[in-house]
Amino acid sequence: DSVPSMSEVHTSRERILWAAAREFADRGLAGARVDRIAEVAELTQALGEAAVEIRVWKKSAEGRLGPSRTSR
């Protein structure tokens, strides 16, 4: 399966998840930032929703991979 481009994702949730996947791939768990994800996803109004999604995803990943070095 190929990864869709940003122009191929349409819902807010899809854009958040797409942008979060890119952010985590580029910067890792410790370096990922919600504000960059929201900006890439073009969802500044949905920043709160993005923050929740990302915290859940990050916590899930840390559970599988161990805590990141900057986990608080």
Side-chain angles (χ1 to χ4, degrees), residues 18-33:
W18 184 90
R22 295 294 305 253
E23 179 76 1
F24 285 120
D26 292 347
R27 301 180 189 273
L29 288 175
R33 292 185 37 185

Side-chain angles (χ1 to χ4, degrees), residues 3-61:
V3 177
S5 68
M6 183 59 154
S7 63
E8 295 174 315
V9 293
H10 303 289
T11 68
S12 295
R13 186 174 195 283
E14 288 174 332
R15 290 195 312 264
I16 292 166
L17 293 175
W18 184 90
R22 295 294 305 253
E23 179 76 1
F24 285 120
D26 292 347
R27 301 180 189 273
L29 288 175
R33 292 185 37 185
V34 173
D35 59 335
R36 282 194 297 254
I37 293 167
E39 182 179 338
V40 169
E42 301 172 351
L43 295 170
T44 55
Q45 293 179 344
L47 188 56
E49 180 183 341
V52 170
E53 293 261 354
I54 292 159
R55 279 190 219 115
V56 169
W57 190 12
K58 194 170 184 178
K59 184 172 180 123
S60 174

